[in-house]
Amino acid sequence: MSHPHPELGPPPALPEGGLRIVALGGLGEIGRNMAVFEYEGRLLIVDCGVLFPEPDQPGVDLILPDFEYIRDRLDDVEALVLTHAHEDHIGAVPYLLRERRDIPLIGSKLTLALIEAKLSEHRIQPAKLEVIEGERHRFGPFECEFFAVNHSIPDALAVAIRTPAGIVLHTGDFRMDQLPSDGRLTDLGGFARLGSEGVDLLMSDSTNAEVPGFVTSEREIGPVIDEVIRTSEQRVIVASFASHVHRIQQVMDAAARHGRKVALVGRSMVRNMGVARDLGYLKVPQGLLVDSRAIESWPPEDVVLVCTGSQGEPMAALSRMANRDHPIRVAEGDTVLLASSLVPGNETAVNKVINGLTRWGARVVHKGNAKVHVSGHAAAGELLYVLNLTRPSNFMPVHGEWRHLRAHARLAELTGVPEDHIVIAEDGVVVDLVDGRARIVGAVHAGYVYVDGSSVGEITDTSLKDRRILGDEGFISVVVVVDSATGKLTAGPEIHARGSGIDPAQFEEFIPQIQKALEVKAADGVVDMQEIRRVVRRTVGRWVSDTYRRRPMIIPVVLEV
């Protein structure tokens, strides 16, 4: 089993007739999916998504793939294929198109409509080509064939990439729901045909590789949602992903059956459902929708609110309702339905929102106490099915954390893929498909690029470390004035602290220690301002650590006279 090594160096030149694959995101993590394929100097990109920040990344709004690997080769990009319209697959597209606006976007009708709506906010009009399952299109040396796959958003696609180096099947995100609410099945017949033709490399969704069996059908969720709305005595507030058209359809159908109006809350929810409705993917009964701004005037037993915030996002509508920072006020007797899965890492934030809503008297229905969500990702039984249908010569698990990738690799071994033909890579690891074999040949830089407000890439890991220190330990600033010629202290020190938990009166007792340390340095002839700052920082840091066992950020300010 081939796997990454921390000492991997830059890759060699791609051999003639070989296909190179570099994932810039999506391996070892849930999100930021982006894979770059190279053949004869031309590039094809599959997906370009974002990763959402964790609690130890304060102030960060989004995390993008690092485009440095392709930045000097953007003119070589033939197309960007988008498998579906979830944020972890399309969220970084606006940032890539800022660097080259005319990269053709390839995707299904709904996928392109949702990304176009997003790009309009960035004032970008994309070049695009709409495709449907069963079609084949050539982009430079890459011939792409598209297959229908079932997922938690309509119009998802898998793509087979043909070059003289072989056939690569990239499943995108998929599951094998046999009774999907929209009737669109994963094209297992197409996968089997491709397997008969010969799949040289299978790249398959690993998110649920640890989950045994098969995923529950979407249709089993409808009756549960219907029961929640039927038995609720006051308002029902449903939180879901803003792209989960199937789930919103189930909510609307249940609301209509029980004589309730529906209001959409949140910009992304309103935008996405508007697009889905215009294209016919969302069927809205006449008169069902009402404006959220007028919802307070309706009797609470007659309304259903559909909003964002199922992952505990601090600025989303549901979190703001829990914090009493939203025009819609959760009241005693309301029911809140979290109709989505829990993305790993969001547990604390979601529990905080549940507690906040419960505090105001709401009944909270979630995956932990009711069957209100099914995963959009294939479980182990379905992954085995695809492996057996396609019979790949080589296998590379994608889209998942390390435990998911390794679990998927074990499934591939069980189906007969030789151990040395299974490639477990991570972001930036270079995989070459040459003469029918996939091997790791090197690595390129594929770090995080942080979006913070309007800044992109300006925040570094060092910046985040500073923010964590400030958040956890506070800061102490020390102002001293020294003679630039002699280095002697002429005024100060003056000490200010915020969030450090230290009594300011204690600093008065400590000031003589700073003065003494500076006197020693001046006697040694030290006049370098940088060295004087280091003396102040070390002296204060040692005292705080010894006295309080704390490590606040220490900011020395040295003024010269």
Side-chain angles (χ1 to χ4, degrees):
M1 188 179 296
S2 185
H3 58 83
H5 189 280
E7 296 179 1
L8 282 173
L14 177 62
E16 185 175 350
L19 177 70
R20 175 160 289 176
I21 303 112
V22 181
L24 298 182
L27 301 187
E29 60 193 2
I30 302 290
R32 218 171 56 116
N33 298 291
M34 182 177 183
V36 180
F37 297 81
E38 177 180 356
Y39 184 81
E40 291 186 342
R42 306 303 294 173
L43 304 178
L44 179 77
I45 302 173
V46 174
D47 290 330
C48 187
V50 297
L51 181 68
F52 293 102
E54 296 186 1
D56 65 347
Q57 295 163 327
V60 174
D61 299 316
L62 297 170
I63 304 172
L64 311 178
D66 190 341
F67 303 140
E68 189 61 34
Y69 171 64
I70 60 171
R71 182 161 283 120
D72 294 336
R73 302 187 57 192
L74 289 173
D75 290 339
D76 297 333
V77 177
E78 296 285 353
L80 168 54
V81 175
L82 302 171
T83 59
H84 64 282
H86 280 152
E87 284 296 300
D88 59 334
H89 291 257
I90 68 168
V93 172
Y95 301 93
L96 180 61
L97 293 192
R98 286 182 187 180
E99 308 207 18
R100 181 189 152 195
R101 288 185 170 239
D102 63 344
I103 295 176
L105 305 184
I106 316 302
S108 62
K109 179 189 291 186
L110 181 63
T111 299
L112 291 180
L114 291 177
I115 188 60
E116 194 168 15
K118 176 186 288 288
L119 288 170
S120 66
E121 298 178 1
H122 293 258
R123 295 180 173 82
I124 296 175
Q125 182 63 42
K128 60 186 190 296
L129 172 66
E130 183 182 313
V131 297
I132 61 172
E133 53 266 26
E135 290 185 346
R136 292 193 187 193
H137 293 272
R138 179 168 288 278
F139 309 105
F142 307 96
E143 184 185 66
C144 295
E145 181 179 3
F146 299 93
F147 300 83
V149 292
N150 180 251
H151 188 40
S152 53
I153 187 172
D155 253 8
L157 296 169
V159 57
I161 302 168
R162 289 180 169 86
T163 67
I167 298 175
V168 177
L169 174 60
H170 192 304
T171 67
D173 286 353
F174 80 101
R175 65 183 173 193
M176 287 166 47
D177 190 341
Q178 299 303 296
L179 294 170
S181 55
D182 61 358
R184 189 170 180 268
L185 294 163
T186 292
D187 187 2
L188 300 180
F191 285 0
R193 172 179 54 77
L194 207 61
S196 298
E197 186 177 344
V199 174
D200 295 280
L201 176 64
L202 173 63
M203 302 172 66
S204 182
D205 176 14
S206 306
T207 308
N208 269 350
E210 292 184 310
V211 179
F214 285 65
V215 170
T216 304
S217 174
E218 187 80 34
R219 292 200 180 192
E220 294 191 20
I221 306 305
V224 181
I225 293 175
D226 187 274
E227 180 69 10
V228 169
I229 292 177
R230 185 185 69 81
T231 59
S232 298
E233 297 179 356
Q234 296 196 59
R235 285 182 306 187
V236 178
I237 301 170
V238 180
S240 174
F241 291 120
S243 57
H244 204 329
V245 178
H246 300 318
R247 186 72 74 250
I248 308 308
Q249 184 70 70
Q250 291 172 317
V251 171
M252 288 189 171
D253 291 345
R257 278 193 295 271
H258 299 292
R260 291 180 181 246
K261 299 294 184 180
V262 175
L264 302 177
V265 181
R267 186 180 64 174
S268 59
M269 181 68 72
V270 172
R271 180 190 68 199
N272 288 358
M273 292 307 113
V275 169
R277 181 184 188 180
D278 292 344
L279 296 180
Y281 293 94
L282 184 69
K283 307 293 192 296
V284 183
Q286 188 71 28
L288 180 71
L289 283 178
V290 296
D291 193 317
S292 63
R293 289 170 294 187
I295 205 68
E296 294 290 346
S297 64
W298 285 82
E301 66 273 13
D302 290 344
V303 298
V304 174
L305 301 171
V306 180
C307 67
T308 55
S310 61
Q311 300 304 306
E313 305 95 314
M315 296 307 294
L318 193 66
S319 295
R320 293 173 57 203
M321 291 178 199
N323 294 329
R324 279 288 196 262
D325 184 29
H326 195 280
I328 295 170
R329 313 287 280 186
V330 174
E332 186 80 32
D334 286 347
T335 298
V336 178
L337 174 62
L338 301 182
S340 64
S341 61
L342 186 58
V343 175
N346 291 344
E347 294 86 355
T348 300
V350 171
N351 287 333
K352 182 178 179 182
V353 169
I354 292 173
N355 281 321
L357 295 167
T358 306
R359 176 187 179 191
W360 306 119
R363 175 173 72 111
V364 182
V365 181
H366 54 87
K367 189 179 179 183
N369 58 24
K371 191 72 176 177
V372 291
H373 182 74
V374 295
S375 176
H377 301 272
E382 298 159 77
L383 298 177
L384 286 169
Y385 209 102
V386 170
L387 281 159
N388 285 323
L389 279 177
T390 56
R391 301 189 300 278
S393 301
N394 300 273
F395 176 66
M396 179 176 170
V398 296
H399 301 178
E401 297 174 346
W402 273 102
R403 58 197 178 101
H404 307 129
L405 302 181
R406 291 204 176 275
H408 204 172
R410 285 192 291 273
L411 295 177
E413 268 194 271
L414 292 173
T415 64
V417 180
E419 183 180 356
D420 59 351
H421 287 234
I422 298 173
V423 175
I424 300 182
E426 61 184 326
D427 297 342
V429 167
V430 179
V431 178
D432 283 356
L433 179 64
V434 179
D435 297 330
R437 282 291 304 276
R439 293 183 175 89
I440 288 174
V441 298
V444 300
H445 180 71
Y448 284 179
V449 174
Y450 300 107
V451 178
D452 183 357
S454 61
S455 75
V456 179
E458 296 176 18
I459 299 300
T460 64
D461 288 327
T462 301
S463 304
L464 290 180
K465 181 180 178 182
D466 289 345
R467 288 181 179 184
R468 287 192 290 271
I469 292 172
L470 286 168
D472 294 339
E473 305 283 353
F475 77 93
I476 297 172
S477 65
V478 185
V479 182
V480 298
V481 182
V482 299
D483 188 309
S484 59
T486 65
K488 290 184 177 181
L489 184 68
T490 62
E494 186 176 311
I495 304 178
H496 303 274
R498 292 290 185 275
S500 65
I502 300 174
D503 184 354
Q506 298 296 315
F507 291 129
E508 294 299 323
E509 301 177 10
F510 170 62
I511 284 175
Q513 295 184 38
I514 303 176
Q515 294 170 334
K516 183 177 180 180
L518 291 175
E519 288 172 5
V520 170
K521 284 297 177 182
D524 291 340
V526 174
V527 295
D528 179 65
M529 295 300 113
Q530 191 65 29
E531 177 61 25
I532 293 173
R533 290 188 188 93
R534 279 195 289 266
V535 171
V536 173
R537 183 182 290 111
R538 282 198 301 264
T539 305
V540 177
R542 189 181 306 113
W543 175 77
V544 173
S545 178
D546 292 345
T547 308
Y548 294 95
R549 297 292 186 267
R550 297 181 65 84
R551 294 183 178 275
M553 179 173 289
I554 298 166
I555 306 171
V557 179
V558 180
L559 305 177
E560 301 177 67
V561 294

